[in-house]
C-alpha cells in the first residue's frame, strides 16, 4: 500500500505494512512487517522493525526496534530506538518525564 509514497533507492517493505500519504522513503531502507508510516521521511540507511508506527518524523541512519511508536515532528539521526519505545510531544511546557536505560546518551 505504498501508492501515495515517494520511493527511491532500494526499499524493502514487509507484509502487512501500511504506507500512508506524505511518506518519503529514500533507500536503502528496510521496513518490517505490520509497520505504519504516515507523513514521515525515512532514510537513507534506516531499519524499522515489526509493529512500529512512525508519524511526522524524519529518520535517517537509524535502527528502530520492534513496536516503537514515534509521533513527533523531529529529525532523528544516528540513533537506535529500543523495543516498545514511545516518542511523542508533550502538550504542556512543564518538565519532561523520562525512563532512560543504562549506558544511554540523550541529546535534547
Amino acid at each position: 500500500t505504498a501508492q501515495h509514497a515517494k520511493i527511491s533507492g532500494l526499499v524493502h517493505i514487509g507484509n502487512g505494512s501500511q504506507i500512508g500519504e506524505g511518506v518519503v522513503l529514500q533507500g536503502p531502507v528496510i521496513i518490517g512487517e505490520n509497520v505504519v508510516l504516515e507523513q514521515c521521511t525515512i532514510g537513507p540507511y534506516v531499519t524499522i522493525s515489526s509493529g512500529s508506527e512512525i508519524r511526522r518524523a524524519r529518520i535517517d541512519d537509524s535502527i528502530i526496534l520492534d513496536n516503537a511508536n514515534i509521533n513527533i515532528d523531529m529529525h532523528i539521526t544516528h540513533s537506535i530506538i529500543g523495543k516498545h519505545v514511545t516518542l511523542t510531544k508533550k502538550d504542556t511546557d512543564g518538565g519532561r518525564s523520562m525512563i532512560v536505560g543504562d549506558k544511554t546518551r540523550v541529546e535534547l
Side-chain angles (χ1 to χ4, degrees):
T1 62
Q3 61 194 18
H4 300 292
K6 294 180 183 175
I7 300 174
S8 62
L10 184 59
V11 175
H12 171 81
I13 301 173
N15 291 334
S17 290
Q18 301 173 30
I19 312 300
E21 291 190 34
V23 173
V24 176
L25 300 175
Q26 302 168 340
V29 168
I30 299 172
I31 307 296
E33 295 181 351
N34 302 309
V35 169
V36 176
L37 302 177
E38 295 179 358
Q39 299 294 325
C40 59
T41 299
I42 307 297
Y45 305 106
V46 174
T47 297
I48 300 176
S49 298
S50 297
S52 294
E53 297 186 13
I54 313 293
R55 293 177 175 85
R56 304 186 305 138
R58 177 178 161 207
I59 303 173
D60 57 60
D61 296 305
S62 297
I63 299 170
I64 311 300
L65 297 179
D66 294 341
N67 300 300
N69 185 340
I70 299 172
N71 187 358
I72 189 166
D73 184 11
M74 173 185 283
H75 180 196
I76 298 169
T77 188
H78 301 99
S79 298
I80 299 173
I81 307 296
K83 295 178 181 179
H84 300 279
V85 167
T86 298
L87 297 176
T88 187
K89 182 170 178 16
K90 189 173 180 180
D91 290 335
T92 64
D93 206 19
R96 301 284 186 250
S97 298
M98 293 186 219
I99 299 172
V100 180
D102 295 342
K103 299 181 181 179
T104 298
R105 184 173 101 203
V106 177
E107 295 179 5
L108 301 171

